[in-house]
Amino acid sequence: MDELEHTCASLRAQIAATETQLAGLKRDLESAEQAAAKARAQHVTNTNTTSNHNSDTRRWPLLDEEYRRYGRQMIVPQLGLSGQLQLRSARVLIVGAGGLGCPAALYLAGAGVGTLGLVDGDSVDTSNLHRQVLHRSQDVGKLKVDSAIEYLRDLNPHPTYIAHRAHLTPQEAPGIFADYDIVLDCTDNPASRYLISDTAVLLGKPLVSASALRTEGQLMVLNNPPRPVGDTSGGPCYRCVFPRPPPANSILSCADGGIIGPVVGTMGVLQALEAIKVITAGKEDIKPPALHIFSAYSSPLFRTIKLRSRRANCAVCSTEALVTLDTLRSGLTDYVFFCGTVNPEALLTAEERLSPREYRAKYPEVSRGGLTQQQEPTIIDVREKVQFDICNLENSINIPISTIQASAYSKDGDKPGSMPAWLPEHIASMDSTDPIYVVCRLGNDSQTAVRKLKELGLDHGGERAVADIKGGFRAWREQVDPEWPEY
């Protein structure tokens, strides 16, 4: 036993040392890449200058290959040669190399933006591939920024690509943003959106912000025109539009709510378009701020809501600003605290929860037919029907959590013992003592459902087992059935 523990401790120490070495190598690589990017940019400048001086026939500001590559967009009146030159000298930062960032980067690189920076600390997962179009099956496990830049270089070798291989933090955001002209927010959580907007305002950078979920998306161009803090002529920031974040428990991620690939792709492409417009627009071309809402299954597909100018009491862009570069760099501005925790709450006691392994041991599948009527458990699956139809346990009952929460589950005082309509009669029967187990995808909604069932008195004062399957179907796959579909 001592030898095994020594081996485990030795392996942990080796892993820690290797991770430290890997972190150092990543920092060295980022520094080397930035130096190489500057050298490439200087080489291109020197080459063009030398070519212009040494050749009597070289009278044009772009390379021959660039005229052929960008010609179709340069003949558009709104862009022209001057717009192409503005794109060539622009430095664009994309925060997030996922469903929004991939199409945005794809079209900005294709359009000839001179420098494109990507910020992301995630690695490519198989579940990303249906919508994050810069990543391929062979890239699974690779850092997203590396996968994306590899694809972009194949598409267009002219831009300078800069990788920021980490999640954005308040301490590092100002230093990163300072090197760019415009920022695209392609993240998927409120804390990041407030951080990106605050930093963009404090450093005077226009911001193109978008979001997408299920079949809908939103798009805004913020802090445009960028003006100093307290200048009411500047464009509104994210805090001006949303002074308070939504409740943490109301936020759905793509993993929970789902997303159709072309929906998030549409929003990312629109971000690229708005960035091009901001880069090439004159002062007279700046439009009033607006929120554009896309709904894939509505007609019309788009609608636009006018936005007000900067708020007089905004916490970042008004004269009453509380958020400053100092509060960012020092960590005093806590975005996670401001937006609230999204960690699942433990609503039940340990006695009210059963792991999938414990459930299967208590009710072996091969002997289910031999159980007595009183022993046979009832399984309530509280996932939405669309998820229930993908995969479900045999003989389980589907009662979506949205149905449970939307109904009046308190008993009617005029009808003692009455139960809500969503509850099947054989479960609602006060004579039944069959155990009830509730399951969901991750083990969060099931806890809420158990609480509601107990409020209805279905546990008979503790005589009837009403519990949830801890960890939901993700844990079920790990502990009981490795063939259970992972979606």
Side-chain angles (χ1 to χ4, degrees):
M1 178 64 74
D2 291 341
E3 184 178 350
L4 286 174
E5 290 181 352
H6 176 73
T7 300
C8 291
S10 176
L11 290 172
R12 291 191 193 99
Q14 291 180 52
I15 290 172
T18 303
E19 288 178 342
T20 301
Q21 183 182 17
L22 179 60
L25 289 172
K26 286 181 177 179
R27 288 193 297 269
D28 293 344
L29 176 60
E30 184 170 341
S31 299
E33 284 183 338
Q34 291 180 1
K38 292 179 180 179
R40 281 196 300 269
Q42 185 62 44
H43 175 72
V44 170
T45 301
N46 293 339
T47 300
N48 289 344
T49 302
T50 301
S51 176
N52 287 337
H53 283 300
N54 295 340
S55 175
D56 293 336
T57 61
R58 188 74 206 158
R59 304 191 307 271
W60 316 116
L62 298 177
L63 301 175
D64 288 344
E65 200 274 339
E66 289 179 297
Y67 282 103
R68 290 192 296 271
R69 180 181 289 266
Y70 308 127
R72 296 298 185 272
Q73 68 186 31
M74 283 195 294
I75 61 176
V76 175
Q78 288 86 346
L79 194 71
L81 175 62
S82 62
Q84 190 63 51
L85 292 173
Q86 287 174 305
L87 289 173
R88 193 190 198 199
S89 63
R91 299 176 62 85
V92 179
L93 179 66
I94 297 177
V95 186
L100 293 167
C102 282
L106 188 66
Y107 278 95
L108 288 173
V113 165
T115 300
L116 201 57
L118 281 84
V119 181
D120 203 307
D122 286 339
S123 299
V124 179
D125 185 81
T126 302
S127 64
N128 303 147
L129 299 179
H130 87 283
R131 67 192 185 281
Q132 299 181 14
V133 293
L134 293 182
H135 313 309
R136 296 157 291 182
S137 297
Q138 68 196 47
D139 297 324
V140 171
K142 186 183 295 186
L143 284 172
K144 287 185 177 180
V145 290
D146 293 335
S147 169
I149 289 175
E150 181 180 337
Y151 189 108
L152 295 172
R153 282 204 177 110
D154 286 341
L155 171 70
N156 189 352
H158 292 288
T160 297
Y161 301 103
I162 300 176
H164 302 277
R165 298 178 180 86
H167 295 297
L168 194 68
T169 65
Q171 292 81 2
E172 296 178 352
I176 294 174
F177 281 35
D179 292 332
Y180 296 91
D181 305 316
I182 181 173
V183 180
L184 274 65
D185 180 356
C186 300
T187 60
D188 61 358
N189 65 87
S192 295
R193 292 190 186 114
Y194 282 101
L195 166 60
I196 293 167
S197 175
D198 291 353
T199 309
V201 169
L202 295 172
L203 292 177
K205 313 293 182 180
L207 172 65
V208 184
S209 177
S211 62
L213 183 68
R214 290 176 172 162
T215 64
E216 298 183 344
Q218 295 183 355
L219 174 74
M220 297 180 289
V221 179
L222 300 169
N223 196 41
N224 188 43
R227 293 286 186 267
V229 170
D231 188 338
T232 57
S233 67
C237 70
Y238 195 82
R239 286 183 187 265
C240 292
V241 182
F242 303 108
R244 295 183 180 84
N249 59 8
S250 70
I251 299 169
L252 278 179
S253 66
C254 290
D256 296 327
I259 183 69
I260 294 180
V263 172
V264 69
T266 296
M267 305 317 297
V269 170
L270 288 175
Q271 281 185 280
L273 175 60
E274 292 298 328
I276 291 172
K277 288 162 62 178
V278 171
I279 292 168
T280 60
K283 294 181 179 180
E284 68 281 357
D285 297 324
I286 297 177
K287 305 297 182 184
L291 170 65
H292 305 286
I293 300 174
F294 172 73
S295 183
Y297 285 81
S298 296
S299 183
L301 294 173
F302 289 92
R303 55 194 179 94
T304 298
I305 300 173
K306 292 182 179 180
L307 297 177
R308 296 179 179 177
S309 57
R310 289 183 170 183
R311 294 174 62 94
N313 61 346
C314 178
V316 68
C317 67
S318 72
T319 54
E320 301 179 14
L322 300 175
V323 179
T324 67
L325 288 176
D326 288 338
T327 67
L328 286 184
R329 294 190 178 108
S330 65
L332 290 176
T333 303
D334 190 333
Y335 290 91
V336 175
F337 177 79
F338 175 66
C339 294
T341 178
V342 295
N343 293 327
E345 297 182 65
L347 301 178
L348 305 177
T349 65
E351 292 73 22
E352 297 173 295
R353 312 194 74 185
L354 201 67
S355 73
R357 186 179 290 112
E358 292 169 332
Y359 175 86
R360 179 51 72 221
K362 192 171 185 177
Y363 303 105
E365 190 172 22
V366 294
S367 63
R368 281 176 62 91
L371 297 174
T372 65
Q373 181 65 28
Q374 287 189 338
Q375 292 175 316
E376 183 71 26
T378 296
I379 301 178
I380 299 177
D381 187 333
V382 296
R383 294 175 298 160
E384 298 302 313
K385 185 178 184 302
V386 65
Q387 296 190 44
F388 183 81
D389 290 343
I390 293 174
C391 52
N392 58 75
L393 294 175
E394 186 178 1
N395 298 324
S396 61
I397 300 169
N398 184 216
I399 307 177
I401 189 65
S402 59
T403 300
I404 296 174
Q405 292 178 324
S407 65
Y409 11 77
S410 59
K411 297 180 183 179
D412 191 329
D414 297 331
K415 298 179 180 179
S418 64
M419 293 289 176
W422 50 261
L423 197 61
E425 185 175 346
H426 71 280
I427 297 177
S429 172
M430 300 305 290
D431 296 329
S432 175
T433 59
D434 293 344
I436 299 175
Y437 294 96
V438 185
V439 66
C440 64
R441 189 179 181 192
L442 302 175
N444 300 324
D445 290 338
S446 56
Q447 295 186 69
T448 301
V450 167
R451 289 280 293 270
K452 300 306 178 185
L453 293 175
K454 288 194 170 186
E455 287 178 11
L456 290 169
L458 294 181
D459 62 338
H460 300 174
E463 295 180 4
R464 183 186 194 182
V466 179
D468 94 301
I469 297 180
K470 187 177 181 179
F473 284 118
R474 178 171 292 178
W476 185 273
R477 174 185 170 87
E478 296 171 354
Q479 299 178 22
V480 176
D481 184 4
E483 295 183 359
W484 186 265
E486 182 179 10
Y487 62 91

